[in-house]
Each structure stands twice: as C-alpha cells, then as structure tokens.
C-alpha cells in the first residue's frame, strides 16, 4: 500500500511539473523585463489595450449562445434516445464523435464553400440574406453553429454520463402520472437531476469557445483567442500575460464548478 501511494504521489508530482513549469516560465517572461527588473506593466496594460474588451465580450456572447443552443438540441435528444430508441445510442455516439476526427481546416473549408455557394440570381433570396446575416461581424452566428458541432463530443459524453446515473424512465413516468406534460416532465423531473452533467457540459463548451482559434481566424472574425494571437505579433509580453490570466480564470471556473457540483450532491443526499 505504501509503495502504491508513493507511485501515485510520484505521478502527481510529474504531472504538476509538466503543467506548472511552463506556466511559471510564462509568468517570469511577463514580469522580468531586461534592464527594468520585475514589473507588472504587462498585466496592468491588459484592460486598456485596444480590442481586449470587445474581443472578450464577443467570445463570452458566442459561448453563451453556443451553450444554450447545444443544450437545447442535445438534452431532449438524449432523453428521447434513452426512453424510446436505446438501440440507436451507438449510432448517435459515432455521429457526435465525428468532429473529433474531422480536421478543423477541412471543417472551415466546408463552411466557407457553403457560405460562398449560389449563383448571382439568388443574391436577393432569403437564403442569400440568411448567409449574409449569420456572418455579421458584430455577432457572427456562423461561429455559434460551428462551435455547436465542435462541442457535440464533449456535451454528449457529459450528458450521457449524467443520464446513466439516474433512472430517467421512472422519473418521467412518475411526472406523467402526476399530470405533467412531456416538456414539464423534462424540465421539472429530469433536468434537476442532471444539474451536474449540465454544468460539466457548459464548462467544457465555454472552454472550447474561449480557446478556439482556427475556425474564427480562417472565417475572418476576431474573438478573444484570435485577438491574443494578433497582439502577440507586436506585444509578446502582453499576449503571454493575457494567456496566463485566461488560464487562471479557467482554473477558477473549474474549481467553482467542482465545488458547486459537490455541494449539490451533498444537498441531494441530505
């Protein structure tokens, strides 16, 4: 048992070094300026740098829209699949896993081809106007659609794990026997028991949207991740400082999510 514990602590220590050493090196790079010594100017300049607030706000808006849309699509589908068509679960799992094997470059190329499709005489049709509207730089809804597809594997896994932990059929039948409609049974009986899974899916989607670069860059938009790369060309220390700050914020959100999920489980048991 002592040898097993020693092995666990050794693996944990190596994992900690693997993650903490690059982070420490990044922090040193941002605060150690040759000829000036230690300075925190890179961090104090973040909030006043042009494009920081707008790009971060855009990424948060895209993340919220993506979370809402992907949960609105996946939660009823997963519940209906578990209740009425359990044999289709392997098929749905394969379909939801496809974004993991499709290269982002190919994915963006397909999106660009669809958006540029259409002869000239269709330029005044509702279809063409829709293509134009979803590419509005103020809120590019096309990125939301792309992120929903990219988030499918993570959301599917999180929701599937949550549904496996509860008896969905009994909950729905009990709610229906009390006079609840199907939407009411889903909202009032199933969703409260999926709170942890919904939080996990939301956090994974948020992390995906905040860190996604390839799709947004190739489609010509500038959310937070693209802004960081653009800033790095002229202000390397500032871009690394923003990356460190983003990583710390992500860790804080993860800790808050873990604490909230643990408190929820404790309350439900009590």
């Amino acid at each position: 048992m002592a040898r097993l514990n020693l092995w666990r602590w050794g693996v944990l220590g190596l994992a900690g070094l693997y993650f903490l050493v690059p982070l420490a090196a990044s922090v040193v790079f941002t605060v150690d300026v040759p000829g000036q010594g230690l300075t925190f100017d890179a961090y104090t300049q973040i909030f006043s740098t042009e494009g920081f607030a707008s790009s971060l706000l855009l990424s948060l808006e895209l993340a919220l829209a993506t979370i809402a849309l992907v949960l609105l699509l996946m939660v009823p589908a997963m519940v209906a699949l578990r209740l009425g068509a359990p044999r289709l679960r392997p098929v749905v799992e394969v379909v939801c896993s496809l974004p993991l094997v499709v290269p982002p470059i190919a994915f963006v190329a397909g999106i660009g081809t669809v958006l540029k499709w259409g002869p000239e005489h269709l330029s005044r049709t509702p279809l063409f106007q829709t293509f134009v509207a979803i590419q509005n730089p103020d809120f590019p809804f096309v990125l939301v659609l792309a992120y929903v597809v990219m988030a499918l594997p993570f959301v599917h896994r999180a929701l599937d794990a949550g549904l496996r932990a509860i008896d969905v059929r009994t909950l729905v039948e009990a709610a229906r026997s009390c006079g609840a409609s199907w939407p009411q049974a889903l909202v009032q009986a199933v969703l409260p028991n999926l709170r942890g899974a919904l939080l996990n899916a939301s956090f994974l989607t948020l992390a995906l949207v905040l860190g996604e670069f390839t799709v947004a860059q190739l489609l010509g938009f500038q959310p937070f991740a693209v802004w960081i790369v653009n800033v790095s060309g002229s202000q390397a220390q500032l871009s690394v400082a923003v990356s460190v700050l983003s990583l710390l914020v992500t860790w804080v959100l993860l800790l808050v999510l873990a604490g909230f999920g643990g408190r929820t489980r404790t309350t439900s048991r009590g």
Side-chain angles (χ1 to χ4, degrees):
M1 181 64 67
R3 181 177 299 179
L4 181 60
N5 290 334
L6 182 61
W7 171 254
R8 289 178 177 176
W9 281 108
V11 173
L12 182 61
L14 291 177
L17 290 176
Y18 180 80
F19 289 104
L20 293 179
V21 169
L23 179 61
S26 300
V27 173
V28 171
F29 175 76
T30 58
V31 300
D32 186 13
V33 179
Q36 299 182 16
L38 294 179
T39 176
F40 293 92
D41 291 342
Y43 292 94
T44 57
Q45 294 175 2
I46 290 177
F47 301 101
S48 60
T49 303
E50 182 181 0
F52 170 77
S54 59
S55 62
L56 179 58
L57 181 60
L58 176 59
S59 290
L60 292 177
E61 291 175 349
L62 293 172
L64 292 177
T66 303
I67 291 171
L69 183 57
V70 73
L71 291 181
L72 185 63
L73 292 174
M74 289 298 296
V75 171
M78 294 290 292
V79 173
L81 187 68
R82 197 166 187 86
L83 292 177
R87 294 183 179 180
L88 294 178
R89 286 173 55 189
V91 178
V92 175
E93 184 175 358
V94 171
V95 172
C96 291
S97 300
L98 287 178
L100 295 177
V101 299
V102 177
I105 300 296
F107 184 50
V108 177
I111 295 175
T113 301
V114 172
L115 293 178
K116 295 177 182 178
W117 174 84
E120 291 294 334
H121 63 270
L122 295 178
S123 59
R124 296 185 179 181
T125 60
L127 177 63
F128 184 84
Q129 297 299 325
T130 301
F131 284 171
V132 173
I134 63 175
Q135 298 180 74
N136 185 357
D138 295 333
F139 185 77
F141 191 75
V142 64
L143 288 183
V144 175
L145 299 178
Y147 293 156
V148 166
V149 175
M150 298 174 66
L152 284 179
F154 312 107
V155 175
H156 175 268
R157 289 293 183 182
L159 294 179
D160 185 63
L163 289 171
R164 289 175 183 271
I166 62 176
D167 191 347
V168 181
R169 187 176 300 276
T170 301
L171 290 173
V172 173
E173 290 178 354
R176 292 284 292 165
S177 64
C178 293
S181 62
W182 282 104
Q184 289 176 334
L186 177 63
V187 173
Q188 298 178 4
V190 178
L191 292 186
N193 292 278
L194 287 178
R195 185 177 302 175
L198 295 175
L199 289 174
N200 291 334
S202 299
F203 178 79
L204 292 173
T205 305
L206 175 65
L208 169 70
V209 175
L210 291 180
E212 201 287 319
F213 170 79
T214 304
V215 175
Q217 172 69 15
L218 294 181
L219 290 180
F221 303 107
Q222 192 179 33
F224 192 54
V226 178
W227 177 82
I228 293 176
V229 175
N230 293 337
V231 170
S232 65
S234 57
Q235 304 179 57
Q237 283 188 319
L238 179 63
S239 66
V240 175
V242 173
S243 300
V244 171
L245 182 62
S246 302
L247 183 59
L248 294 177
V249 171
T250 303
W251 283 358
V252 170
L253 291 175
L254 179 59
L255 292 175
V256 171
L257 177 63
F260 183 76
R263 186 167 60 252
T264 301
R265 288 191 294 269
T266 302
T267 302
S268 61
R269 289 177 182 177

